[in-house]
Amino acid sequence: PRRIDVTKSPEQQIALMVDAVQPHCDEPLISAMICGHAGSMASLLSSKFLGVGGGTTRTSELPQNMIIAVGPTTIYAFKYKPRGFKIKVKPGWEVARWPRSSVEVVPGPTGAVSKFTLVTEQGDIYALEVTTAMGGAGAYDIFIASLQAPPG
């Protein structure tokens, strides 16, 4: 399993996530990011740090813990099991893939948790978020730029 290290540069953080899923993709990846459903990380942080009850908000059929990976022509979604700061993706854990040309990326608010939405040609909407506190903002910026770049 790969380890996330917030002391690494944004490019190194992205490379770590790419390395975790690259063996499961059929094209070289540009970037990858650990994501969750929009609202879920804020709810989790509230319950852990503030002692407030809070479940998770699920916005789609994608798993709660996922890695979204960006290739030249395809966007991939993988489930993964968080193990502290380790990233582990097993064969068969791909849960979705979309042609990049058929997905609109809508960046949302940024902060300790940054949000974005993937909207497919079929009308599916995936509201997702990334924890960008503790040094993750630079990696998030690289990831969003790769999602918004023209396919190919």
Side-chain angles (χ1 to χ4, degrees):
R2 312 304 190 278
R3 284 186 168 275
I4 297 173
D5 182 349
V6 295
T7 64
K8 294 194 178 292
S9 73
E11 294 80 10
Q12 290 169 317
Q13 292 175 39
I14 291 282
L16 206 61
M17 292 177 266
V18 164
D19 288 348
V21 293
Q22 183 63 72
H24 311 289
C25 299
D26 52 10
E27 64 182 337
L29 295 177
I30 300 165
S31 71
M33 181 64 62
I34 293 171
C35 304
H37 296 281
S40 61
M41 292 182 193
S43 175
L44 178 65
L45 290 173
S46 297
S47 65
K48 295 285 185 194
F49 295 114
L50 302 177
V52 203
T56 58
T57 302
R58 195 175 186 112
T59 60
S60 72
E61 294 304 313
L62 294 175
Q64 177 52 44
N65 299 307
M66 70 187 98
I67 296 178
I68 301 293
V70 183
T73 62
T74 308
I75 298 171
Y76 304 84
F78 293 91
K79 68 179 180 177
Y80 85 102
K81 290 193 177 182
R83 300 272 189 240
F85 289 105
K86 294 180 182 178
I87 303 170
K88 182 164 186 151
V89 177
K90 291 185 178 180
W93 282 10
E94 182 181 317
V95 294
R97 71 168 58 192
W98 308 275
R100 280 186 57 198
S101 60
S102 71
V103 176
E104 178 186 2
V105 179
V106 183
T110 59
V113 175
S114 297
K115 299 179 181 186
F116 69 99
T117 303
L118 301 177
V119 182
T120 68
E121 276 182 349
Q122 296 76 25
D124 297 323
I125 299 172
Y126 302 98
L128 304 172
E129 67 185 17
V130 173
T131 301
T132 48
M134 298 175 21
Y140 172 79
D141 291 343
I142 293 168
F143 172 70
I144 289 296
S146 71
L147 277 171
Q148 292 181 309

